[in-house]
Amino acid sequence: MLSVRKAVFPVAGFGRRFLPATKASPKEMLPVVDKPLVQYAVEEAVAAGITQLIFVTGRGKRVIEDHFDKSYEIEQVLKLQGQQALLDLVQNIKPSHVECVYVRQPEPLGLGHALLCAGKLVGKEPFAVVLADDLLVGEPPVLAQMVRVFSHYDCSVVAVKEFEPEESSAYGVVSGRYWDERVMSIGKIVEKPAPDAAPSNIGVAGRYVLMPSIFRHLRAQLPGVNGKLELSDGIQSMLKDEQVLAYNFDGTHYNCGTKLGYLKATVDFALCHPELRGSFDAWLRERICDGNAAR
Ligand code: UTP
């Protein structure tokens, strides 16, 4: 049985839904309270036993490399000021046994294309794909749940959740046959269908554990109507040869690629944050009661 050691983080997208915030700063660095989205994603991957993080970066994404690198200046200042707790925080962003590797996607030509850019680094072993703008909360963490399902069934696994029917054009949508309450054998996957063309209301939630055969299927795909090479089309092609499972994970999905999903995550995380819990909760209740939101 092969273990899952590598995770690909495609972070080369355009981020148009968050402009102008994403004009010079990556969407994946947007903070939810005090931690960037990409750090939550990395922590989830590390908790699943991943030891190599492969970032597919693009224009304007250097700050992600800096975030996971040592910062001598900040560490020096915190040391001099005796701020040990903050020093530990910046020194432990990535555990020392975990390695970061970076590859560029010259243009954002789709998630499938981003994965192809990481193909050589992944090689011929199963690997995870983590989309940092999907923030998932679960216990155990969602990617760890998926690695368990992968090890059990020895085939590719895609994380899914139910969505509202009118949201279909924001998701890769799957349909198939349920084996049990959480596991479905996928028969069909369609990228961002219109509501009347969606095969179900079960959508992919930004986590995949894939067999390396996906690269062969992606290379054989032609770009879609918008010129993008979609991962969902590669997976649909994979279904001709092998099984792919949809896993309805135990946890919560925040679609932080949208403003509403990002705000929901921010509120929920603030309500659980040790520094903010009490004061934010009180403020929020007051705000809701008097309906007097600032404009
Ligand atoms: P999204 O489609 O949600 O991100 O891709 P986007 O394209 O940046 O967002 P909008 O639609 O313009 O607002 C999901 C993830 O895949 C990455 C993105 O960076 C994001 O983390 N991605 C997407 C790539 O790395 N390359 C691509 O060509 C497309």
Side-chain angles (χ1 to χ4, degrees):
M1 173 69 60
L2 291 164
S3 60
V4 185
R5 303 179 307 146
K6 301 182 179 184
V8 178
F9 296 79
V11 293
F14 204 86
R16 79 190 68 224
R17 283 169 291 176
F18 271 92
L19 282 169
T22 46
K23 180 165 179 270
S25 165
K27 172 172 71 174
E28 297 78 9
M29 287 300 290
L30 287 172
V32 171
V33 184
D34 52 9
K35 209 189 276 184
L37 285 169
V38 68
Q39 192 179 332
Y40 290 101
V42 162
E43 286 174 1
E44 187 189 330
V46 171
I50 300 293
T51 53
Q52 190 179 84
L53 315 173
I54 302 170
F55 294 89
V56 182
T57 72
R59 181 200 59 83
K61 305 281 180 160
R62 283 245 170 87
V63 59
I64 295 176
E65 296 182 37
D66 291 340
H67 186 73
F68 291 104
D69 204 356
K70 193 172 173 66
S71 169
Y72 289 99
E73 303 83 343
I74 292 178
E75 290 187 19
Q76 192 59 26
V77 171
L78 293 174
K79 237 180 245 164
L80 282 173
Q81 295 175 344
Q83 297 199 299
Q84 191 58 42
L86 285 179
L87 185 61
D88 290 345
L89 203 70
V90 294
Q91 284 181 331
N92 295 325
I93 283 180
K94 173 187 77 63
S96 55
H97 72 281
V98 173
E99 177 195 22
C100 291
V101 189
Y102 299 91
V103 63
R104 297 277 283 201
Q105 183 186 25
E107 271 182 84
L109 295 176
L111 188 52
H113 182 264
L115 284 200
L116 279 180
C117 296
K120 282 210 179 85
L121 291 169
V122 171
K124 293 190 164 77
E125 56 181 286
F127 64 104
V129 180
V130 182
L131 306 189
D133 56 353
D134 282 303
L135 179 52
L136 305 190
V137 180
E139 198 44 57
V142 175
L143 195 62
Q145 297 177 35
M146 294 176 69
V147 167
R148 213 181 281 169
V149 176
F150 168 81
S151 304
H152 185 76
Y153 292 103
D154 200 18
C155 63
S156 299
V157 183
V158 172
V160 294
K161 270 284 172 223
E162 253 182 48
F163 58 80
E164 297 299 325
E166 65 276 9
E167 294 173 333
S168 67
S169 59
Y171 287 92
V173 180
V174 300
S175 62
R177 196 164 47 84
Y178 276 100
W179 286 353
D180 62 37
E181 188 195 335
R182 295 212 176 270
V183 177
M184 173 207 276
S185 169
I186 300 181
K188 189 173 184 184
I189 177 164
V190 195
E191 186 61 23
K192 301 188 173 77
D196 54 355
S200 77
N201 66 335
I202 310 291
V204 180
R207 300 290 181 276
Y208 308 77
V209 177
L210 296 172
M211 289 294 188
S213 53
I214 186 66
F215 293 116
R216 176 164 44 86
H217 291 281
L218 283 172
R219 277 193 292 269
Q221 292 298 307
L222 294 172
V225 273
N226 54 4
K228 304 240 168 153
L229 184 55
E230 298 295 355
L231 177 54
S232 296
D233 296 338
I235 294 175
Q236 178 63 40
S237 162
M238 215 177 174
L239 291 172
K240 291 183 292 197
D241 298 344
E242 57 191 279
Q243 186 131 265
V244 181
L245 300 178
Y247 172 62
N248 178 8
F249 60 91
D250 183 11
T252 308
H253 172 219
Y254 298 96
N255 182 356
C256 293
T258 68
K259 293 182 184 87
L260 184 60
Y262 176 73
L263 288 172
K264 286 179 184 174
T266 302
V267 170
D268 279 356
F269 276 65
L271 287 170
C272 297
H273 193 283
E275 252 174 61
L276 296 174
R277 255 193 306 250
S279 50
F280 183 67
D281 186 50
W283 176 84
L284 194 59
R285 280 171 199 280
E286 202 182 309
R287 174 64 82 222
I288 290 165
C289 288
D290 69 13
N292 185 21
R295 293 190 200 281

